[in-house]
Structures are given as structure tokens and as C-alpha cells.
Amino acid sequence: MTIGTLESLTESELFDRAIQEMLKCPGHPKIGAVISKNGLVLSTGFKGELKGVHAERVAIEKLSVDQLNGAKIHTTLEPCVEMSVDQPKKSCCALILESGISTVSIGVLDPNGRIYANGMNSLRDGGINIEVFPLEMRQRIEAVTFPFDDFSKAIGDGKRRIRSVKNGKKFEVQFSMDDHRKISFSISPLSMPLDRIDLVSDNDSVRLAPDITKFGDIPDPMLYQDPSHFARLGVGEIAVIAKANATMALLVKILDISSTDIFIQWEVRDIP
């Protein structure tokens, strides 16, 4: 229904509108946002609508202070928090807290370890009313927000920050879009020492590449001996994951370890 020039939507329709905005995103992660007041749509935004601008900021900056006061924003992904002291723009959480918006409805939590639940908690601590999308809507969002349907999966070579989970964060790498060979592993932070992690995979599939810091310095992934089900790694160290008689190997390097996330890099290799 349209009232004057404003569209009036039910709560369910607002969830759906945010997802529609999300689907407009040209790349990943896909994020959509809708700002409303008493069901009247005031503005919308999606990541990529303006180059380098998050969906929440796009929607907020279309409105005046009076329009934002007491408004509600539906966003498909948890709003970001400050990632560094010298970042050029305020985080979406900071922007929301300053805007006068009173309620934030969140689709899914951001799996980035530096943001995961911190955005939601900082908004709640700042006096914002927090709501969440229904399960069915969250499943729709999770299916398309990140490439390859899942933040815990990847295809080909890459880098990613994995949320630090004490009981182990599972991860899966597929060789390529057309080659469906896969290797799965999990990464667990240690209570002590704090600067190392355990990389765990199948029995007798994990090999440590001692004193190697570059993937290019490993001529043959199967060169290394004494396979185990895990390797204890620090920053800069590399492990090789490959079962005996396998045709695929995965090289994993630890780039950074923090209290919230573990930054990894990986490379897929054919085994002749």
C-alpha cells in the first residue's frame, strides 16, 4: 500500500524488501538495508549502490535527521564495527548510534571474527532495540550473502579471516569451480600459548613444512614426512594437508592470530 509518496509495508514485507535490496549487489558480501517508520519505507540501500559504501550508510545518508529519529532499519547482515583506529569512515554501528534510529533488525551475524556479535552487542549497549529476521529469512540470506553459499567454504586459492572458535572452526576448500575435489579441516585456537593454533584434518593427512614461509618454496607437497591428524602452527608457518595416494593437496599458511579471528591463506595443488 502507498500512503502519499511513501510505501507502507508489513514487517514480513520489510524483511523481504531488505532481501530484495541485497540481491541487487554486484559482488560479495551481498547486503541490503531498508529504513522505515511505522511501516512506511523511507529509504533503501545495498552494498555497491555507491562504490565502497555499505548498505546501511547508503540508506541512512538519503534521509534527514528528523526522518531518522525513531526510525527502524532492517539490514540483512550485522552492521560493522570499527576495524582500525585510522579507518577513513565511521563504522555502520557508530553511524546508526548517532543517527537517531531506535531499532535495528538484523538478518545474520557477520562471520568475520572482528565483527561477529560485536556489532549487535555494541548497538544494544548503546540503547538500540535489537530484533532479528525469522529463521526462514535468515536461511535465504545465508544462501547468497557470501560467495559459494557459505563463509566456511571456498573454491581455489585464497585468503580469509576465520572466526576464532575454541572447539574448532571447520573450513572446506574445493579445488576449482569445475573440479569438485575437496579438503576439509578445522582450526582451533589454544589457551596457551596464545600465538599458536591447531590445524586438524583426517588421520595421517597433515604434514608440517618446517622453516618454509612461501608456498612457492614447496616443490612437492608430499615431500614432507611424519603425517599426523594435526599440526600446531604459529604466524608465518605452513602445513600441507593431503591423504596418502591423494590427487589433491592443500597448503595452509597462518597469516595472523588474534583473540577474535585467525587469518589464513591457502593454495590448492595437484599431486601427480
Side-chain angles (χ1 to χ4, degrees):
M1 180 173 65
T2 300
I3 300 176
T5 59
L6 299 179
E7 187 177 9
S8 179
L9 300 180
T10 65
E11 187 70 5
S12 178
E13 289 170 335
L14 286 166
F15 294 139
D16 194 63
R17 174 59 65 84
I19 292 174
Q20 290 176 29
E21 291 297 315
M22 174 190 73
L23 295 175
K24 296 177 182 178
C25 297
H28 293 91
K30 296 183 182 294
I31 309 167
V34 179
I35 298 177
S36 64
K37 190 179 290 187
N38 300 320
L40 296 178
V41 175
L42 302 180
S43 69
T44 62
F46 61 89
K47 187 175 183 292
E49 183 174 347
L50 297 175
K51 186 176 180 180
V53 182
H54 289 189
E56 301 95 323
R57 180 179 288 273
V58 171
I60 287 171
E61 292 185 344
K62 292 177 181 178
L63 301 176
S64 68
V65 173
D66 287 342
Q67 288 174 309
L68 288 167
N69 189 41
K72 180 176 184 176
I73 184 169
H74 289 74
T75 178
T76 58
L77 186 67
E78 176 183 18
C80 66
V81 296
E82 263 74 22
M83 302 293 280
S84 65
V85 294
D86 58 349
Q87 66 184 47
K89 291 183 179 180
K90 293 179 181 178
S91 70
C92 291
C93 280
L95 195 62
I96 290 169
L97 287 168
E98 293 177 358
S99 70
I101 287 173
S102 61
T103 302
V104 176
S105 182
I106 296 172
V108 298
L109 297 179
D110 193 319
N112 185 316
R114 295 186 179 183
I115 301 174
Y116 183 83
N118 290 328
M120 178 179 67
N121 293 339
S122 68
L123 291 171
R124 182 186 289 113
D125 292 344
I128 300 292
N129 179 43
I130 299 296
E131 299 177 358
V132 296
F133 284 41
L135 176 60
E136 179 188 355
M137 297 289 186
R138 297 202 302 268
Q139 291 171 336
R140 288 173 60 189
I141 293 167
E142 289 172 347
V144 297
T145 296
F146 296 99
F148 320 127
D149 300 338
D150 192 332
F151 196 78
S152 296
K153 297 180 181 179
I155 297 179
D157 302 341
K159 297 179 182 179
R160 191 165 298 177
R161 288 192 178 274
I162 298 178
R163 182 164 54 91
S164 181
V165 181
K166 290 184 178 179
N167 61 349
K169 181 67 175 175
K170 294 182 178 179
F171 200 75
E172 179 183 273
V173 177
Q174 181 174 307
F175 194 89
S176 69
M177 290 293 290
D178 299 321
D179 187 329
H180 294 275
R181 288 177 292 170
K182 299 175 183 177
I183 289 179
S184 299
F185 62 94
S186 66
I187 288 183
S188 302
L190 303 180
S191 297
M192 290 296 290
L194 299 175
D195 60 347
R196 305 188 76 78
I197 59 92
D198 279 350
L199 183 149
V200 182
S201 191
D202 296 330
N203 287 338
D204 297 330
S205 68
V206 183
R207 297 167 170 82
L208 182 64
D211 301 320
I212 297 294
T213 59
K214 298 178 181 178
F215 293 147
D217 290 338
I218 299 177
D220 182 346
M222 303 304 285
L223 174 68
Y224 302 101
Q225 300 177 1
D226 303 319
S228 177
H229 69 285
F230 84 104
R232 187 154 292 174
L233 302 174
V235 173
E237 294 184 316
I238 295 175
V240 175
I241 307 175
K243 294 181 181 180
N245 302 317
T247 60
M248 171 187 175
L250 185 68
L251 283 55
V252 180
K253 180 177 181 179
I254 307 303
L255 299 179
D256 186 36
I257 300 172
S258 76
S259 61
T260 58
D261 59 88
I262 301 160
F263 192 20
I264 65 170
Q265 181 178 11
W266 64 88
E267 180 178 293
V268 296
R269 290 275 189 95
D270 261 319
I271 299 177

